[in-house]
Amino acid sequence: MTIVIGVLALQGAFIEHVRHVERCIVENKDQYNEKLSVITVRDKDQLAGCNALVIPGGESTSMSLIAQRTGFYSDLYNFVHDPKKTIWGTCAGLIFLSQQLSNEAKLVKTLDLLKVKVKRNAFGRQAQSFTQTYDFSSFIPNCNDFPATFIRAPVIEKILDPKEVQVLCKLEEKDNSGQGLIVAAKQNDNILVTSFHPELAETDIRFHDWFIKEFVLKNFNRYK
Ligand SMILES: NC(=O)CC[C@H](N)C(=O)O
């Protein structure tokens, strides 16, 4: 049995995720007990074969519109709401998964899954994009120097259900209400979201490897 990780390929930075997962499969296969593969996903037949789905960065407005116009939205909706499936949204993917948006909300019909309120473009325009090294060792063992790239990134402004959603990373920068900016979180044990782009850390596959071990493989074995 092969566990299939799909990367939603309607729009955006999907190929970088595919390459990172491919590298994990080649370089770390001895550490995974199950066989893994990765595919791009554009329609419901491809989605039906997946155990996990990565929703990449890009433009959440376009992603949502394409999903609706192609009739794929309801298949995506059902997939992400199935607790047997593992989900990871990066940047636009985080926006597309969220229940509430505090700005430009009318432009995106979200998948209404993640129990948070999100602010789009929270760091400003494209020109304010940046890469910075962060210490993620509180949730990824020994990962204290990960290069995280933020491109017109959203932040989580509010956790709507603290029983289900756990903050993984809060920046020191504060928002208007004096709270640290939340840029990574998980909901239950099968949904991960990040404001930033671990797939753009060129040769660094630690984040993807952790996603596979902590989320994809554990969730698969939970329902086996
Ligand atoms: N890099 C990204 O995914 C940017 C997200 C984009 N600002 C949006 O609102 O969808």
Side-chain angles (χ1 to χ4, degrees):
M1 155 108 210
T2 301
I3 299 173
V4 181
I5 300 174
V7 182
L8 188 65
L10 298 179
Q11 193 271 338
F14 54 87
I15 205 69
E16 291 82 356
H17 273 295
V18 172
R19 294 209 179 108
H20 267 57
V21 175
E22 276 170 353
R23 283 195 58 182
C24 288
I25 294 172
V26 172
E27 291 178 27
N28 296 350
K29 63 174 182 302
D30 298 343
Q31 299 168 29
Y32 307 145
N33 288 328
E34 288 82 7
K35 209 167 151 351
L36 289 163
S37 74
V38 59
I39 61 165
T40 51
V41 172
R42 292 188 177 83
D43 60 41
K44 80 183 221 200
D45 294 335
Q46 291 164 336
L47 186 63
C50 293
N51 301 91
L53 185 68
V54 179
I55 305 186
E59 186 52 53
S60 52
T61 314
S62 315
M63 226 178 263
S64 168
L65 257 183
I66 296 168
Q68 290 170 71
R69 286 192 184 152
T70 54
F72 191 26
Y73 177 91
S74 60
D75 304 297
L76 276 175
Y77 183 96
N78 292 336
F79 187 96
V80 300
H81 283 265
D82 178 350
K84 293 195 189 94
K85 308 295 185 185
T86 304
I87 313 296
W88 177 13
T90 53
C91 202
L94 183 171
I95 298 167
F96 193 24
L97 286 168
S98 296
Q99 284 197 332
Q100 286 184 23
L101 307 181
S102 63
N103 54 341
E104 302 167 64
K106 285 204 194 89
L107 300 175
V108 191
K109 183 177 178 191
T110 75
L111 294 169
D112 198 21
L113 175 72
L114 189 72
K115 296 175 177 169
V116 301
K117 185 173 187 181
V118 167
K119 182 175 183 190
R120 293 180 70 186
N121 301 318
F123 297 88
R125 292 166 170 269
Q126 188 81 16
Q128 275 100 48
S129 298
F130 61 97
T131 301
Q132 202 168 308
T133 301
Y134 288 101
D135 182 352
F136 292 150
S137 58
S138 62
F139 57 102
I140 305 180
N142 305 319
C143 186
N144 59 0
D145 55 352
F146 192 86
T149 299
F150 292 77
I151 304 170
R152 291 183 300 114
V155 293
I156 295 176
E157 273 191 336
K158 193 172 174 198
I159 307 288
L160 301 174
D161 186 345
K163 282 199 213 92
E164 287 192 34
V165 182
Q166 185 191 329
V167 175
L168 295 173
C169 180
K170 206 187 245 193
L171 302 187
E172 275 164 25
E173 287 113 296
K174 309 264 189 285
D175 65 13
N176 295 340
S177 63
Q179 278 202 66
L181 305 174
I182 301 169
V183 295
K186 66 174 197 160
Q187 180 165 300
N188 302 320
D189 290 316
N190 66 315
I191 302 158
L192 172 68
V193 287
T194 49
S195 294
F196 51 89
H197 292 263
E199 78 286 6
L200 297 183
E202 263 180 55
T203 54
D204 197 329
I205 56 171
R206 287 177 293 174
F207 212 102
H208 285 71
D209 178 54
W210 172 73
F211 168 68
I212 291 171
K213 287 178 182 151
E214 268 310 302
F215 288 81
V216 179
L217 297 179
K218 283 194 179 167
N219 204 40
F220 175 81
N221 286 315
R222 205 170 281 131
Y223 288 100
K224 205 155 67 170

